[in-house]
Amino acid sequence: MTGVTVRLEGLVKHFGRVQALKGIDLTLTPGELVAFLGPSGCGKTTTLLLIAGIYKATAGQIFFDDRRIDHLHPRDRDIGMVFQSYALYPHLTMFENIAFPLRLQRVPKAEVKRKVEQTAELLGISEQLLRRPALVSGGQQQRAALARALVKEPRVLLLDEPLSNLDALIRLSARAEIRRLQKELGITSILVTHDQSEALAMADRVAVFSVGEVEQFATPEELYKAPATTFVAGFVGFPPMNLFEGRFNGAFEAKGLKIPLSPGHPGGKGYLGIRPEDIRFDGEIAARVLLVEVLGKDSLLTLEAAGHILKAMSLEGMQVAIGDELLLNFPVEKLHLFDAEGKRIQRQAS
Amino acid sequence: MPLLPQRWRLLLVLLLVIGLPIATGLIWLLLTALFDRVHGLIPQGDFGSENWRFLWQGSVSGRPSIWVALLNSVMFAGAVAVIEVLVSAMAAYAISRMRFPLRSMYLRFALMLHAFPAISLIIAIFYILRILGLFDTLIGVILVKASLELPLGIWLMKGFFDHLSWEMEMAALVDGASRWTLFWRIALPLVRPGILALGTFALLSAWGEFILPFTLIVSGKSWTLALYLQSFMGESFIDFGLMAGVGLFYVLPVVLFFLLGQRYLLNIYSGGAKG
């Protein structure tokens, strides 16, 4: 089985007067797992349902390879989908749930049996096939939903928050398992999630959604190292990046703070960001400790500097208490600069 | 040890008093049907097989055979129940799941229709059936009875469909189902409790229906049991024994239905969508 290229072109979706999607352009390469990451109401699930064919786009086109599919009925799109609630059919046994797509395709009985058993085996739910969904655990229901999506060997797999109803512990193993299966089968897949750790851990590339738009489409590493906008900077990474609003003037000035920059930056208003883990404690910016949260090996510090509240990670072996004065250093090479619209200012080649 | 707590005894007495008239009626029916004569509630004479002669005499005083009336009643109640459940379920599904113009107006209108007493429409219905050539036919009354009950049925079934999850329907569409397949194979099985409830009500209501057949059916070959029973009322000499016999005969299928079906009927809500 080989995956297809999925191409979204200028997808727009209105619900009445509400504009849910303002124009989505994305291209997924075959066999890739892409995560749609964003807060609730950002349009990531809407986009997924457009691809599934549940909603009709107001404008724009969807292609699988070079075939346009946005006018097709869901059943003709060759997709498998897993829903947040699993959406298993409660009146059917697990076997019949998984077999349902095949039955609709009028696959011969013997082959249905073979395929269902094979898929169940792959997901480790062979023992539960004769039970009703309500009688098996949440993890097993989730696997059955995945099995139902995979049994017809779809060309595209859509996952809508598939893990958010699972216990934290099972969630970690389910993540790894979905990832393994997806790589093994090579199906082009889309994972919708609001959980950035899930997106970063599972996806080859992540599309970060804000209100009806894709802010950035990049690898997890790139999102972290070079967020394209202040929205991505604030959304991806935990704890989130510190952002200051101010003015570029050779250095960066924000009421009471003056942070030196490497030369060659434009002037004007903008934003400066630095991740908590990049802040060092050997500089000249005076800050007072407001709060210390022990995370294990190190601690998360909430600091106040010239009226700005910011977060920093303590270094190993550092003893800090509430009320302590620290001198911060924002290393120039770790700074993220954004213009007045929140767009990343590319570092000038030097 | 007393079987009931002290304070419940009063309640029990009260309930017995309230139930007495109904119980008396039933006892009278039973005794009158079984004995030659009954004075008050005291049976006189022997077991009255005369009262049951309608069962083996082809026709009692020019009436059609009771078996024809029974068959008509069964067909009437059965057809009304099937039509009502089927049409209600389909209409309710559409209203619950699809968007179409005037949807909410339609809903309000349906409820208003239900508020109309059927009897106030009966003259108009009479004319309509005459024009359609359905007057004095079982099919005609079946259609009238089923339509009059539809608004209630639609509202009831809509409530059941509203509780189905949207994600499950989306899943079925993605799995390859058409709307039609989805309705029959996913949605309908999941509202089984509603179908059972509505079907039972429809069946009983049609079984006991009198005024519609009375107005819209004339010839004996289309009589239902209710009409058969009523036909005794107009005679100068009323044979109460015979009438009670017919009455008991009329009740028996319902009693049988409850005896056989009570396990399902009492559990109407336990087989719900949660599976």
Side-chain angles (χ1 to χ4, degrees):
Chain A
M1 202 187 310
T2 46
V4 293
T5 305
V6 175
R7 202 163 83 241
L8 313 182
E9 279 182 7
L11 279 189
V12 174
K13 177 67 185 172
H14 295 210
F15 292 108
R17 253 167 291 169
V18 182
Q19 198 178 23
L21 296 178
K22 295 173 186 165
I24 304 287
D25 296 282
L26 288 175
T27 303
L28 282 67
T29 58
E32 190 179 34
L33 195 160
V34 167
F36 288 0
L37 176 66
S40 49
C42 66
K44 55 193 194 298
T45 297
T46 305
T47 310
L48 201 71
L49 292 179
L50 285 175
I51 299 171
I54 303 291
Y55 292 159
K56 271 201 161 43
T58 308
Q61 303 176 347
I62 305 170
F63 296 88
F64 287 177
D65 283 340
D66 286 321
R67 183 157 167 249
R68 190 171 165 194
I69 57 105
D70 50 273
H71 57 284
L72 296 180
H73 187 277
R75 69 168 166 254
D76 301 321
R77 296 189 179 197
D78 214 353
I79 42 179
M81 184 157 178
V82 177
F83 292 85
Q84 181 172 7
S85 66
Y86 314 141
L88 295 171
Y89 313 122
H91 61 301
L92 300 179
T93 59
M94 299 269 275
F95 183 96
E96 283 304 323
N97 262 285
I98 300 171
F100 190 69
L102 300 179
R103 298 250 191 256
L104 293 177
Q105 291 173 5
R106 304 191 190 287
V107 174
K109 273 195 178 138
E111 205 184 331
V112 170
K113 191 162 148 53
R114 189 181 61 77
K115 279 192 170 170
V116 170
E117 277 168 2
Q118 190 187 347
T119 314
E121 171 104 42
L122 190 70
L123 285 152
I125 46 172
S126 302
E127 307 292 312
Q128 276 76 34
L129 284 181
L130 294 180
R131 297 196 183 180
R132 296 275 175 92
L135 295 178
V136 306
S137 72
Q140 287 162 346
Q141 289 181 23
Q142 196 267 338
R143 285 150 183 260
L146 192 57
R148 184 178 63 183
L150 291 175
V151 77
K152 57 179 174 177
E153 299 170 11
R155 294 189 301 167
V156 176
L157 179 63
L158 307 176
L159 306 157
D160 186 9
E161 307 256 12
L163 304 176
S164 59
N165 284 355
L166 293 177
D167 299 342
L169 211 62
I170 305 175
R171 197 180 307 171
L172 282 184
S173 60
R175 252 189 213 177
E177 190 163 315
I178 290 180
R179 183 66 178 142
R180 176 182 64 81
L181 272 175
Q182 188 268 336
K183 277 287 154 249
E184 222 171 273
L185 302 173
I187 308 175
T188 312
S189 306
I190 299 174
L191 167 79
V192 162
T193 178
H194 63 271
D195 179 348
Q196 54 161 303
S197 64
E198 203 169 289
L200 300 181
M202 291 174 71
D204 296 305
R205 283 193 291 169
V206 180
V208 181
F209 280 67
S210 66
V211 201
E213 280 175 310
V214 174
E215 293 271 330
Q216 188 172 7
F217 184 39
T219 63
E221 201 184 5
E222 214 177 320
L223 284 185
Y224 181 81
K225 283 193 175 155
T229 63
T230 47
F231 178 85
V232 177
F235 195 76
V236 177
F238 182 84
M241 182 186 284
N242 297 300
L243 283 169
F244 304 96
E245 192 176 352
R247 172 174 285 282
F248 296 106
N249 192 4
F252 178 80
E253 292 169 5
K255 70 172 176 62
L257 279 182
K258 185 163 180 153
I259 296 149
L261 302 172
S262 49
H265 287 295
K269 284 187 177 169
Y271 298 85
L272 176 134
I274 181 159
R275 295 202 179 272
E277 55 271 36
D278 290 334
I279 295 179
R280 300 217 305 259
F281 302 95
D282 54 355
E284 284 116 40
I285 304 165
R288 200 161 50 83
V289 180
L290 297 179
L291 196 63
V292 181
E293 291 164 70
V294 180
L295 299 179
K297 191 169 65 115
D298 37 24
S299 304
L300 175 62
L301 312 176
T302 305
L303 309 167
E304 187 243 291
H308 300 274
I309 304 290
L310 63 147
K311 305 260 185 194
M313 297 296 280
S314 72
L315 302 175
E316 226 178 322
M318 195 169 127
Q319 294 294 320
V320 202
I322 292 173
D324 283 0
E325 298 282 338
L326 298 171
L327 289 171
L328 309 181
N329 175 13
F330 295 178
V332 172
E333 70 278 8
K334 300 285 192 188
L335 294 178
H336 302 267
L337 309 182
F338 303 95
D339 64 19
E341 267 101 56
K343 296 242 176 334
R344 184 180 190 82
I345 300 171
Q346 290 303 321
R347 226 172 268 274
Q348 252 110 46
S350 51
Chain B
M1 210 176 78
L3 210 56
L4 280 173
Q6 195 72 34
R7 63 203 150 89
W8 282 34
R9 290 195 179 170
L10 192 70
L11 190 69
L12 195 67
V13 169
L14 194 72
L15 288 177
L16 281 175
V17 170
I18 295 174
L20 206 58
I22 302 166
T24 313
L26 289 175
I27 291 166
W28 180 87
L29 180 69
L30 203 66
L31 293 178
T32 313
L34 293 182
F35 291 93
D36 271 347
R37 270 178 306 133
V38 177
H39 281 177
L41 284 179
I42 302 153
Q44 314 276 321
D46 296 331
F47 175 79
S49 57
E50 267 295 281
N51 296 346
W52 297 85
R53 61 180 184 275
F54 62 87
L55 289 182
W56 48 82
Q57 282 184 6
S59 130
V60 180
S61 331
R63 296 183 183 83
S65 158
I66 185 95
W67 302 108
V68 171
L70 175 70
L71 187 69
N72 281 338
S73 263
V74 168
M75 288 198 311
F76 177 65
V80 166
V82 168
I83 293 175
E84 199 180 322
V85 166
L86 215 63
V87 177
S88 296
M90 288 175 150
Y93 181 79
I95 290 170
S96 171
R97 288 318 207 214
M98 295 167 179
R99 298 274 161 271
F100 50 87
L102 301 181
R103 177 174 160 276
S104 64
M105 211 180 89
Y106 177 82
L107 264 178
R108 258 172 289 161
F109 194 59
L111 197 65
M112 221 168 69
L113 272 183
H114 187 61
F116 262 78
I119 194 71
S120 64
L121 302 173
I122 201 99
I123 307 293
I125 288 171
F126 170 81
Y127 277 115
I128 292 171
L129 285 193
R130 278 251 315 247
I131 292 167
L132 294 176
L134 292 174
F135 179 68
D136 198 23
T137 63
L138 208 53
I139 295 174
V141 207
I142 288 169
L143 291 179
V144 170
K145 175 67 177 165
S147 346
L148 287 172
E149 304 260 312
L150 273 182
L152 177 77
I154 292 172
W155 270 86
L156 185 90
M157 292 310 293
K158 177 183 175 292
F160 280 92
F161 283 120
D162 282 349
H163 280 103
L164 296 186
S165 99
W166 282 94
E167 281 203 343
M168 198 172 58
E169 295 206 12
M170 293 179 188
L173 288 177
V174 171
D175 280 348
S178 61
R179 271 282 184 186
W180 188 245
T181 318
L182 164 57
F183 173 73
W184 286 107
R185 298 187 51 177
I186 304 296
L188 210 53
L190 289 175
V191 297
R192 209 187 56 178
I195 292 174
L196 279 178
L198 182 62
T200 306
F201 289 138
L203 211 58
L204 294 181
S205 161
W207 187 258
E209 179 63 43
F210 169 67
I211 197 75
L212 291 175
F214 183 65
T215 324
L216 303 173
I217 285 178
V218 192
S219 41
K221 65 171 174 21
S222 302
W223 273 13
T224 61
L225 283 175
L227 294 184
Y228 190 93
L229 186 58
Q230 195 273 338
S231 69
F232 290 97
M233 306 282 276
E235 298 187 330
S236 48
F237 166 73
I238 298 180
D239 185 343
F240 281 105
L242 185 63
M243 200 173 144
V246 174
L248 203 60
F249 183 79
Y250 185 24
V251 172
L252 279 178
V254 179
V255 176
L256 217 65
F257 175 75
F258 272 100
L259 283 180
L260 295 177
Q262 63 178 335
R263 224 156 48 92
Y264 297 99
L265 295 176
L266 291 177
N267 287 326
I268 270 177
Y269 284 92
S270 69
K274 289 273 174 351

